[in-house]
């Protein structure tokens, strides 16, 4: 995926050292550009508590979707009794519209592996895993090569940098559906157990991999740590929005001139990110956050991208992707497709997940084909409440987002389908008109 040029002066924390897609990473080049310096300093002269303090002070929040404060997560793990604990870097990224984590792992694997090492040192873990999908072959190969080169230099392995601290990092390819990216599902998959979520609490920081305290962080979250340690907490905090420090990667695809990945300050508006991808004029809608994201209209494009503000508008941060939709796309069709995808990719552990998502997909299908039932609106509202109340994981609780946001912002297009049996975009035609509906 191409990396988009950002506005002049826009800071680069995550992709500053990114090579082009074809360039194989090299330890010598990475080190010359500053890689592993924070790690050497940390192991040589810093107490793990200091690192957690720095990450907390910098205001780093998770980039995996929920925006959980990273320092708080690390502290919770570090404070657990016992010696054995783990760090798991989540690079699963199954959303078909997102390749930003994969791009980061391909272009600067050193930042990811160094971030993993710093997290492990901070919480006292001697074993860490980087998990990604088998299809991400270049990322897998480059991460493994980076770990091997780091071991050769004594940066990883037994007694790193002659410190007495052991750290082994492994890359694990994990197969599975979209839900496997959810942290408790990922941990079960890593244990070779059935990939389904666990009830929380206890959180993975208390009882994670093989029941041991475990930090699960998104790879992008971890890749920011070497920079913030090298440049200082205040330098990191100076970038981004209030309560949402640093930069992030956002992928823009769909009806755009330049699809790609942009590194932008946290809290950048949807509109400003679309400009980077060459969106001219005003698109019809943007699907924000991936399959369980929200369909936002132009009136919401000035929204700052933060988990809280997006949730308030019916979208989510999710996978950090923006899919731009123009007049040629039917939003009822798109919302129904996303709903069907979520039903297909869910694990079905709970009843709302196993049956509720199926009913939801059927509602989407009926709306799309102009065959609504009189009770569909009520059933949709019930499903939204039930999946939220009984959810074990956010796949369930966010599954109603595409349909609900579509109905909220694009009522006339949905009404054309549902009431009149007409697809204004001309995509779903000829749709069958429900018996008795006016044409
Ligand atoms: C259905 C679903 C899929 C997810 N997929 C991913 C993923 O691919 N990568 C990821 O980092 N987090 C994913 N998450 C979020 C993780 O559960 C978890 O919050 C995250 O890895 C924590 O890292 P962070 O604190 O650095 O954000 C997913 C969550 C859900 C509900």
């Amino acid at each position: 995926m191409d990396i988009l040029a950002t506005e002049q002066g826009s800071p680069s924390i995550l992709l500053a050292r990114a090579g082009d897609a074809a360039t194989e990473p090299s330890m010598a080049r990475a080190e010359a550009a500053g890689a592993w310096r924070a790690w050497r300093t940390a192991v040589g002269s810093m107490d793990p508590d200091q690192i957690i303090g720095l990450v907390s002070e910098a205001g780093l929040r998770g980039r995996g979707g929920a925006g959980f404060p990273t320092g708080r997560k690390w502290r919770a793990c570090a404070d657990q009794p016992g010696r054995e604990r783990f760090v798991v870097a989540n690079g699963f990224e199954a959303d078909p519209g997102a390749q930003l984590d994969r791009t980061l792992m391909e272009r600067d694997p050193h930042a990811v592996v160094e971030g993993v090492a710093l997290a492990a040192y901070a919480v006292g873990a001697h074993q860490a895993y980087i998990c990604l999908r088998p299809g991400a072959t270049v990322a897998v190969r480059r991460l493994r090569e980076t770990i091997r080169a780091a071991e050769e230099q004594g940066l990883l392995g037994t007694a790193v940098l002659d410190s007495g601290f052991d750290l082994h990092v492994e890359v694990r390819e994990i197969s599975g559906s979209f839900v496997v990216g959810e942290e408790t599902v990922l941990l079960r998959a890593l244990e070779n157990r059935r990939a389904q979520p666990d009830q929380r609490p206890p959180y993975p920081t208390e009882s994670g991999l093989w029941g041991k305290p475990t930090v699960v962080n998104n790879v992008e979250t971890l890749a920011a740590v070497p920079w913030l340690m090298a440049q200082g907490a205040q330098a990191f905090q100076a970038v981004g929005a209030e309560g949402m420090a640093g930069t992030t990667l956002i992928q823009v695809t769909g009806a755009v001139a330049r699809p790609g990945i942009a590194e932008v300050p946290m809290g950048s508006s949807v509109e400003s990110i679309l400009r980077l991808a060459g969106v001219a004029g005003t698109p019809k809608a943007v699907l924000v956050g991936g399959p369980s994201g929200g369909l936002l209209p132009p009136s919401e494009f000035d929204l700052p991208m933060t988990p809280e503000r997006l949730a308030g508008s019916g979208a989510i941060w999710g996978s950090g992707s923006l899919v731009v939709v123009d007049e040629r796309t039917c939003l009822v069709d798109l919302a129904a497709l996303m709903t069907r995808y979520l039903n297909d990719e869910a694990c079905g552990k709970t009843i709302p997940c196993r049956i509720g998502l199926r009913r939801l997909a059927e509602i989407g299908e009926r709306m799309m084909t102009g065959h609504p039932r009189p009770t569909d609106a009520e059933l949709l509202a019930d499903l939204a409440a039930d999946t939220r109340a009984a959810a074990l994981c956010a796949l369930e609780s966010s599954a109603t987002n595409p349909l609900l946001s579509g109905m909220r912002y694009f009522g006339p297009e949905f009404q054309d389908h549902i009431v009149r049996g007409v697809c204004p975009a001309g995509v779903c035609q000829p749709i069958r008109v429900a018996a008795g509906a006016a044409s």
Side-chain angles (χ1 to χ4, degrees), residues 62-68 73 90-94 101 178-179 181-183 216-219 221 393-395:
R63 305 303 198 235
F68 193 83
K73 187 181 280 192
N90 191 347
F92 191 71
E93 195 174 49
D101 288 348
F178 182 62
V179 74
E182 196 277 339
E183 60 183 12
V216 182
N217 270 135
N218 174 256
V219 287
T221 313
C393 87
L395 188 149

Side-chain angles (χ1 to χ4, degrees), residues 301-435:
F301 289 176
D302 60 350
L303 195 70
M305 294 255 321
T306 67
E308 290 79 15
R309 296 296 299 275
L310 289 172
S313 286
I316 54 167
W317 181 276
S319 57
S321 68
L322 302 180
V323 180
V324 180
V325 173
D326 67 11
E327 295 302 325
R328 291 167 298 179
T329 298
C330 167
L331 297 178
V332 186
D333 185 31
L334 181 59
L337 173 69
M338 293 301 119
T339 311
R340 199 163 64 231
Y341 173 84
L342 293 170
N343 178 42
D344 290 348
E345 301 281 309
C347 74
K349 183 172 181 178
T350 66
I351 289 172
C353 177
R354 188 163 62 248
I355 300 172
L357 295 197
R358 188 179 305 170
R359 295 288 95 88
L360 195 62
E362 289 165 1
I363 294 176
E365 214 67 20
R366 286 200 291 272
M367 285 180 170
M368 200 256 287
T369 54
H371 270 116
R373 287 184 187 162
T375 51
D376 271 354
E378 200 185 330
L379 181 58
L380 183 59
D382 274 359
L383 285 171
D386 289 352
T387 47
R388 280 194 164 83
L392 266 187
C393 87
L395 188 149
E396 281 168 88
S397 55
S398 59
T400 45
N401 283 340
L403 283 175
L404 289 180
S405 60
M407 291 169 73
R408 171 173 168 188
Y409 295 116
F410 302 94
E413 185 160 345
F414 275 70
Q415 287 306 308
D416 277 341
H417 264 261
I418 298 167
V419 181
R420 297 179 55 227
V422 169
C423 174
V427 174
C428 307
Q429 284 173 356
I431 61 175
R432 287 155 295 160
V433 180

